[in-house]
Each structure stands twice: as C-alpha cells, then as structure tokens.
Amino acid sequence: MKVSIIGGGGRVGSDAAYALQFGGVVREMALVDMNGDMAAGEALDLRHGASLTCNQTFTSSDDYGIVDGSDCVVITAGLRRRPDETRLELVNRNVSLFKGILEHLKGVKLNDGATIVVVSNPVDILTHLAAQADIVPQSQVLGLGTVLDTCRFRSLLADHFKLNATDVKALILGEHGDSMVPILSSATLGGVPLSSIPNYEAEIQEVFEFTRKSGAEVIRLKGGAGRAVGVSIKEVVESISLNTEKVLPVSSWQKGTLGISDISLSLPTKVGRKGVVQVIEPVVNDMEREGLHKSAKSLKDVLAQIS
Ligand code: 2OP
C-alpha cells in the first residue's frame, strides 16, 4: 500500500513515517512538505534505516505530484497549537491552510478506494471539511480523533495502577479536544472492570485531567507531540492497509449512532481497507452520553462559524 503524508517533513508526519517503517506493513511512503528539503531529509534518513527494518520506498517533494497512486493520504500539516491555545481556537489559523491542501488533493490521481486520514487540528472539524470535499466518499475519510487520547489515557492509567499499559482497556470518545469524554463504565484493567474499584471515578479524575491536558503539556515541554501521535497514526493506517477491521475511536462523519449526526467526532469504529466499515454504538451511562452530546454541540457550534 502506498501512503502519502502531507506534512511529512514535520514532527508529526515524520514520526508517523518512522512508526510505519517499524510496522513494516506499508510498501511505499511519499512525504510531501512545503519545506522540500525537510521532506527530502526525512525520506533519506528513513531509507538509511531500511536494511535494519524493512524494504520500503520513500519519495519526497514540495509538489503534490508524488501523491498520485496513493491508497491512503495522511494529512498532518498545520500550524501547531500554542500552549495556552485550545484546539478549536487554532481553527481559524488552520482552516484556510487545510482548504488549500484539499484543493491540491482534488488534483491528484488517488487509487480506487483510497482513504484520507486527517491528523491536523482541530482534527474533528478538519475531518468534517475533508469529508464534505468529495475527494473520496465520506466513509473513506477518517480523523485520528481520540485514538491518541485513548492511547495516552491507557498509558497513564497503567502508570497510576502500576500495570502493563497493554493490559488497560479504556476509551476516550467525542472531540479530540477539551470536551473529550472518558468512557469509564466499560474500562477494564487486566480484565477487571475499573468500576469494581471503590470510588474509582474520583480516583482516576486526576489521570483523566492530565490526559486531557497532555497535548498542551507536551507542547510546553518539547514544542509539540510526535511519538504517541505517530504510533496512533500507525494503528489506523495499518488497520486500513491490512483490512483488519480493528475497532478504533477514529473521528468520522456521524450518521445517528447515540443520536449524534452531521458532525465528525470519535466513536468506536471498525476500520478497514476503505475506511469506516461500521460505527459501533458504545454502552455508555447517562453522564457519558450527555458528555458526548455536549462534544457534538461544541463542534457543531465551531463548524457553524467557519462553513
Ligand atoms: C495532541 O494532542 C497533536 O492534537 C495532538 O498532541
């Protein structure tokens, strides 16, 4: 499968490429970046590692021509959030840049069934714009959404309970942003329901709050996230590439699950070769359902301001 990364010369795009190199599933990566030298440097650096990882082709350019023939386009390009800025405040600075990227993509020849995976922030809003752009069918447009938040939350819960991070199953759904919703009612720690721990909600509130602020904290400490974003992107792209239909909390245009429609946000979704196979209605309690509806409303309010 050929994957093009728009923004491949940047931190998130290059970390995604590096994660996909270790995954060894993707056959070819095209790194597009307005900074052509950065993209070329990343492509060369990645290719240098091929003999100890896997044999993949890397191309790079500041021109979208190398995107032709892609099976999946990952869009990571965008202006980074300032530490004190919410993702939604970033919207005005990123929407015009993103619409320019969509115009370029309308001019390339994607393979039949190609998918678009949006990472740039505010990811839910930009995912919706990409789905509305009719470059590929709506169901073939996904946003990284709360895959990253879920990844962070599981890792931080494991730290709190001193567990193997891969044994923690907990979902964050809704907006990849301030209104994200932790789904504690179905979370398990090594198979044990989190809800079986006395006073669990109070105990993990601090873990969730730190998760929610983790994006800003990483920006404050190192200028921007990349590593966990990269492995989260890898999880989505490989589920597409291998058609595994893994259930991931990707963002997509919702059509009524939990009573949520006409906005893109994260719900549990079977991800296959052509993107959204099925959105699965999660079992949520009243508070979680209310939180998800608040998330949808917050995103619709922003969308109304920009469209
Ligand atoms: C984050 O939360 C980049 O939005 C991404 O770090």
Side-chain angles (χ1 to χ4, degrees), residues 12 80-81 87 90 119-123 144-145 148-149 152 176-177 180 211-219 224-226 228-229:
V12 172
R80 251 199 307 277
R81 205 162 39 106
R87 288 184 188 89
L90 183 67
V119 179
S120 315
N121 275 316
V123 63
L144 187 65
L148 173 58
D149 309 295
R152 286 170 169 157
H176 172 59
M180 65 176 79
T211 303
R212 201 158 64 109
K213 295 184 184 125
S214 279
E217 178 66 1
V218 173
I219 291 170
V229 190

Side-chain angles (χ1 to χ4, degrees), residues 80-91 93 216:
R80 251 199 307 277
R81 205 162 39 106
R82 299 181 185 114
D84 59 348
E85 186 180 41
T86 69
R87 288 184 188 89
L88 293 185
E89 283 166 350
L90 183 67
V91 66
R93 299 201 292 134

Side-chain angles (χ1 to χ4, degrees), residues 99-159:
K99 285 182 174 175
I101 291 170
L102 296 180
E103 281 310 305
H104 281 296
L105 290 179
K106 285 176 183 170
V108 302
K109 299 180 200 65
L110 299 177
N111 285 350
D112 287 346
T115 48
I116 294 175
V117 178
V118 179
V119 179
S120 315
N121 275 316
V123 63
D124 300 294
I125 297 296
L126 300 185
T127 298
H128 208 71
L129 293 181
Q132 289 176 323
D134 285 335
I135 298 166
V136 295
Q138 285 174 13
S139 62
Q140 290 166 221
V141 177
L142 305 173
L144 187 65
T146 59
V147 173
L148 173 58
D149 309 295
T150 294
C151 177
R152 286 170 169 157
F153 190 40
R154 291 176 178 182
S155 306
L156 295 172
L157 279 172
D159 288 345

Side-chain angles (χ1 to χ4, degrees), residues 16-250:
Y18 191 45
L20 287 167
Q21 180 174 45
F22 277 93
V25 167
V26 163
R27 178 75 190 83
E28 180 181 350
M29 286 185 244
L31 307 183
V32 177
D33 202 287
M34 55 200 239
N35 185 331
D37 282 352
M38 277 297 276
E42 291 295 352
L44 180 61
D45 198 5
L46 286 159
R47 180 62 191 165
H48 284 158
S51 58
L52 290 177
T53 50
C54 69
N55 189 45
Q56 294 162 320
T57 306
F58 297 93
T59 55
S60 69
S61 177
D62 59 1
D63 183 281
Y64 280 70
I66 62 169
V67 180
D68 283 354
S70 295
D71 302 290
C72 178
V73 179
V74 179
I75 306 175
T76 65
L79 305 166
R80 251 199 307 277
R81 205 162 39 106
R82 299 181 185 114
D84 59 348
E85 186 180 41
T86 69
R87 288 184 188 89
L88 293 185
E89 283 166 350
L90 183 67
V91 66
N92 293 314
R93 299 201 292 134
N94 261 341
V95 164
S96 52
L97 187 151
F98 190 76
K99 285 182 174 175
I101 291 170
L102 296 180
E103 281 310 305
H104 281 296
L105 290 179
K106 285 176 183 170
V108 302
K109 299 180 200 65
L110 299 177
N111 285 350
D112 287 346
T115 48
I116 294 175
V117 178
V118 179
V119 179
S120 315
N121 275 316
V123 63
D124 300 294
I125 297 296
L126 300 185
T127 298
H128 208 71
L129 293 181
Q132 289 176 323
D134 285 335
I135 298 166
V136 295
Q138 285 174 13
S139 62
Q140 290 166 221
V141 177
L142 305 173
L144 187 65
T146 59
V147 173
L148 173 58
D149 309 295
T150 294
C151 177
R152 286 170 169 157
F153 190 40
R154 291 176 178 182
S155 306
L156 295 172
L157 279 172
D159 288 345
H160 179 81
F161 289 105
K162 296 181 178 42
L163 286 171
N164 178 322
T166 61
D167 287 336
V168 177
K169 301 300 175 203
L171 270 175
I172 289 186
L173 299 175
E175 176 202 7
H176 172 59
D178 296 341
S179 68
M180 65 176 79
V181 182
I183 309 302
L184 305 183
S185 52
S186 57
T188 59
L189 308 173
V192 176
L194 176 64
S195 55
S196 66
I197 297 171
N199 205 24
Y200 71 97
E201 285 158 321
E203 172 158 0
I204 65 98
Q205 188 56 29
E206 197 176 323
V207 177
F208 169 62
E209 283 308 320
F210 186 53
T211 303
R212 201 158 64 109
K213 295 184 184 125
S214 279
E217 178 66 1
V218 173
I219 291 170
R220 184 184 70 81
L221 291 169
K222 61 173 267 192
R227 306 286 194 248
V229 190
V231 295
S232 299
I233 293 167
K234 169 188 173 283
E235 195 72 5
V236 175
V237 171
E238 291 191 349
S239 191
I240 292 169
S241 181
L242 298 173
N243 196 31
T244 59
E245 297 193 359
K246 193 164 192 175
V247 177
L248 297 168
V250 293

